[in-house]
Amino acid sequence: MALPSTFLPAASLFLTFCLCLYPQLALANPGSTGITRHYKFNIRMQNVTRLCQTKSIITVNGKFPGPRIIAREGDRLVIKVVNHVSNNITIHWHGIRQLRSGWADGPAYITQCPIQTGQSYVYNFTIIGQTGTLWYHAHVSWIRSTLYGPIIILPRRNTSYPFVKPYKEVPIIFGEWWNSDTEAVINQALQTGAGPNNSDAYTINGLPGPLYNNCSSPMETFRLKVKPGKTYLLRLINAALNDELFFKIRNHTFTIVDADASYVKPFETDTIYITPGQTSNVLFKTKTLTSNAKFVMAARPYSTNAAGTFDNSTVAGVLEYMSTDSMSSSSINASIKGLPLPTLPVINATSYVANWTNKFRSLGSSQFPVNVPQTVQNRYYFAVGLGTDPCPKNQTCQGPINGTKFAASVNNISFTLPTTALLQARYFGKSNGVFTTDFPTTPLNPFNYTGTAPNNTMVSHGTKVVMLPYNTTVELVMQGTSIFGFENHPLHLHGFNFYVVGQGTGNFNSATDPTSFNLVDPVERNTVGVPSGGWVAVRFRADNPGLWFMHCHIEIHLSWGLRMAWAVMDGKLPNQKLPPPPSDLPQC
């Protein structure tokens, strides 16, 4: 039976209405195995009250944390970002491989110029070969302190998780709350050369909990309501600017099943360790308890650098077994304060962190094989850590040594952010004067990296990249340094996952340490901690043409210059080349 002609415009209007009202609704994506999902991100200021103070913060669609992005593996995401604030904005889709979609990666002045006030940009990319939890965040200055949210990637239709199906899935995002404007915090730190002021609280899903002061609203405590005897999937994200965290729920355990949207061999633990930038999916089975049972969950920092400052506080939430009797919000804080806190590792629990990271192994099943490169064509040895810059004339600086400012570097080069996006400059053959391709493969001035610090701690500056031929294999050893104290550095590589094939304490020994590399089932990640007082080795294949940022995900270290970039050349075939930029790509 033919439809009446009046039905077609009405159906079209109804579909348009639905897509405007529910941007997560998808349209078919012809020629692909997935569908296209449309979102619209309006970047707006929103008044938010925390710790008894109200401030205007930068948000997505007025939400803090931002709204969830939900997709399946194989889906295409089309996300229009409209900037309604006075700040320049970019958004990075953290952990997304961005295969041949480098224009959508998001770091300011690396793959794009920022979206200016009143302007918009459409990020267009496909999720290929990834299932789990990732996240998005602003990638310009310190705006990501409030502009972040989860990316939930479900398995393809008619497929399932390689573990028991959970009863419910819950994103848990750790963050930091600042009563001050974070742009003022970082600007002051860069001006004085000192470490930045600390955050005022940690948060769980944007809420600081009851341990900070007595005037905070009871509604500022995260509550996870559960049913007895059920298995939940917790999607953990560390979105904090500057702090690695321990997390625990009293008298409960977790089963780790995923790291950075890659499946791992499951293992049990009662304490989670997670660095800024990292994500993890964990199974959490509730106990067979009577209703109204409550347990405190808590997170606090891991830090080993005695020379620095950090927010040494604890964020708490409550795990509440559901009952028929509802608990009034006014009694939430009182009930938590009467409950014992979980026992977390000490602040500088380096041995716990080392044991934790050594437990991770790729799942390595026939359905999820391990493709770690067995041979290496390009080897690099990067010394990463802190250093100093001289204090400008006629200025008083508050750096670690009199007359200096804090700096950070990779192989003694502190990366200078350009004023033209690197990917644009390279694609259009205008890199001259923007960047050079002489980034050193090894430290220019070797020293005892984990021993006595050298007398000269000054860094050099430049906008240098490493050139990689398409599809070649890379082994990168990242060596921590002892300058101004040992510190763990979570290094994030854009555009790639890598396999963590080895790690150890002290200085890397190129003759003996590779003999213990795991080339069978190493964990696959996009963010890895360079151990405090040690090294980590990773391998990956340069199969993604473009220009890719790599940096420490502790934001102050990124601001001080602990960052660099990899330029991966095009391959010979059409599907091995970076496509032209979209017409709405922001210009500098």
Side-chain angles (χ1 to χ4, degrees):
M1 178 179 176
L3 292 173
S5 60
T6 55
F7 176 83
L8 297 178
S12 177
L13 182 63
F14 176 75
L15 178 60
T16 301
F17 169 78
C18 288
L19 288 174
C20 291
L21 190 60
Y22 302 105
Q24 70 274 18
L25 290 179
L27 298 175
N29 181 14
S32 93
T33 57
I35 59 177
T36 299
R37 299 176 186 260
H38 293 265
Y39 287 82
K40 186 174 182 180
F41 278 16
N42 287 299
I43 309 303
R44 298 186 182 278
M45 304 302 295
Q46 179 70 35
N47 286 340
V48 173
T49 300
R50 297 288 187 272
L51 304 181
C52 317
Q53 296 190 35
T54 300
K55 61 180 286 192
S56 188
I57 64 172
I58 300 176
T59 67
V60 175
N61 300 342
K63 296 183 177 181
F64 170 68
R68 300 177 189 180
I69 288 178
I70 302 176
R72 291 188 180 275
E73 182 192 351
D75 287 352
R76 181 163 65 103
L77 287 170
V78 178
I79 306 168
K80 184 175 183 179
V81 177
V82 186
N83 184 8
H84 300 280
V85 303
S86 60
N87 305 75
N88 286 341
I89 294 294
T90 70
I91 295 186
H92 170 51
W93 317 96
H94 184 111
I96 297 290
R97 280 291 317 271
Q98 298 292 3
L99 287 165
R100 299 182 64 239
S101 56
W103 304 108
D105 191 43
Y109 302 107
I110 305 298
T111 58
Q112 69 166 97
C113 299
I115 307 168
Q116 299 181 19
T117 305
Q119 302 298 309
S120 65
Y121 179 47
V122 177
Y123 293 90
N124 189 333
F125 55 89
T126 300
I127 300 171
I128 301 174
Q130 293 180 286
T131 303
T133 302
L134 296 172
W135 62 301
Y136 62 85
H137 60 81
H139 212 306
V140 55
S141 192
W142 279 25
I143 293 173
R144 80 170 178 89
S145 62
T146 60
L147 202 166
Y148 60 82
I151 302 175
I152 296 171
I153 308 172
L154 303 172
R156 292 178 182 268
R157 292 194 181 277
N158 302 317
T159 63
S160 60
Y161 297 119
F163 46 80
V164 61
K165 182 180 179 180
Y167 171 73
K168 190 176 181 180
E169 302 184 8
V170 182
I172 293 183
I173 311 176
F174 304 106
E176 289 171 292
W177 176 261
W178 307 70
N179 288 330
S180 303
D181 176 9
T182 52
E183 293 302 278
V185 170
I186 181 55
N187 289 339
Q188 179 187 42
L190 294 178
Q191 178 69 25
T192 64
N197 292 336
N198 297 325
S199 59
D200 295 282
Y202 297 109
T203 58
I204 300 176
N205 288 353
L207 302 171
L211 301 183
Y212 286 100
N213 53 49
N214 293 322
C215 65
S216 60
S217 165
M219 301 308 295
E220 291 182 22
T221 298
F222 173 68
R223 299 168 65 195
L224 176 57
K225 294 184 177 182
V226 297
K227 292 184 177 181
K230 299 290 187 181
T231 298
Y232 291 77
L233 180 69
L234 304 184
R235 295 177 174 271
L236 306 180
I237 301 168
N238 187 348
L241 284 185
N242 292 316
D243 289 286
E244 301 155 294
L245 296 169
F246 296 116
F247 172 66
K248 190 172 185 177
I249 300 177
R250 184 175 173 84
N251 290 349
H252 288 73
T253 59
F254 310 102
T255 300
I256 314 300
V257 295
D258 165 292
D260 292 351
S262 294
Y263 294 124
V264 300
K265 290 182 172 66
F267 67 91
E268 291 191 3
T269 182
D270 65 356
T271 305
I272 304 289
Y273 163 71
I274 188 167
T275 78
Q278 288 184 340
T279 64
S280 190
N281 282 359
V282 306
L283 294 178
F284 169 68
K285 188 170 184 179
T286 56
K287 297 176 180 293
T288 305
L289 297 175
T290 58
S291 299
N292 293 321
K294 292 181 286 292
F295 300 87
V296 175
M297 62 179 71
R300 76 175 184 191
Y302 162 66
S303 179
T304 59
N305 186 4
T309 60
F310 59 96
D311 181 359
N312 187 6
S313 66
T314 301
V315 57
V318 61
L319 174 73
E320 180 184 348
Y321 283 75
M322 285 192 280
S323 69
T324 55
D325 299 325
S326 62
M327 183 172 64
S328 65
S329 61
S330 61
S331 66
I332 296 173
N333 281 7
S335 68
I336 293 179
K337 289 181 178 179
L339 296 173
L341 290 171
T343 302
L344 288 160
V346 296
I347 294 295
N348 61 347
T350 302
S351 60
Y352 183 91
V353 170
N355 291 334
W356 164 268
T357 53
N358 277 322
K359 291 179 182 178
F360 283 82
R361 296 286 187 272
S362 285
L363 185 57
S365 66
S366 58
Q367 186 179 359
F368 304 101
V370 176
N371 296 312
V372 58
Q374 298 295 311
T375 60
V376 176
Q377 295 164 293
N378 304 279
R379 297 182 189 275
Y380 300 92
Y381 184 50
F382 289 177
V384 300
L386 305 186
T388 55
D389 272 333
C391 188
K393 292 182 179 179
N394 303 320
Q395 182 178 330
T396 300
C397 293
Q398 302 171 24
I401 303 173
N402 289 338
T404 67
K405 303 173 75 169
F406 267 114
S409 66
V410 181
N411 279 355
N412 204 51
I413 296 172
S414 187
F415 186 88
T416 302
L417 204 64
T419 56
T420 300
L422 298 184
L423 186 58
Q424 290 173 270
R426 178 185 169 224
Y427 186 86
F428 292 107
K430 298 180 179 180
S431 59
N432 189 29
V434 178
F435 67 89
T436 61
T437 59
D438 57 343
F439 192 92
T441 59
T442 58
L444 296 177
N445 302 302
F447 63 97
N448 183 0
Y449 306 107
T450 56
T452 303
N455 293 327
N456 181 7
T457 61
M458 295 293 179
V459 302
S460 60
H461 292 264
T463 308
K464 301 175 183 291
V465 306
V466 173
M467 297 294 293
L468 288 174
Y470 179 78
N471 212 37
T472 55
T473 55
V474 176
E475 180 179 286
L476 168 63
V477 177
M478 292 177 282
Q479 173 71 62
T481 65
S482 61
I483 300 174
F484 309 129
F486 294 120
E487 198 159 357
N488 202 76
H489 295 282
L491 265 291
H492 172 50
L493 175 60
H494 290 225
F496 294 91
N497 282 354
F498 48 73
Y499 289 98
V500 183
V501 297
Q503 64 176 359
T505 58
N507 297 334
F508 175 73
N509 186 316
S510 60
T512 59
D513 284 328
T515 61
S516 62
F517 281 0
N518 177 10
L519 302 181
V520 177
D521 60 352
V523 66
E524 186 177 359
R525 304 205 74 131
N526 64 62
T527 303
V528 66
V530 179
S532 177
W535 56 269
V536 64
V538 304
R539 288 187 181 184
F540 64 96
R541 182 176 294 275
D543 59 356
N544 195 6
L547 208 145
W548 305 105
F549 209 22
M550 190 178 81
H551 60 89
C552 183
H553 225 280
I554 292 178
E555 208 69 13
I556 185 58
H557 297 170
L558 169 65
S559 301
W560 284 336
L562 210 167
R563 52 197 181 188
M564 54 82 64
W566 304 83
V568 179
M569 300 166 63
D570 284 345
K572 295 180 180 180
L573 302 177
N575 65 351
Q576 298 173 344
K577 301 180 186 297
L578 180 70
S583 59
D584 64 339
L585 185 71
Q587 302 298 312
C588 294

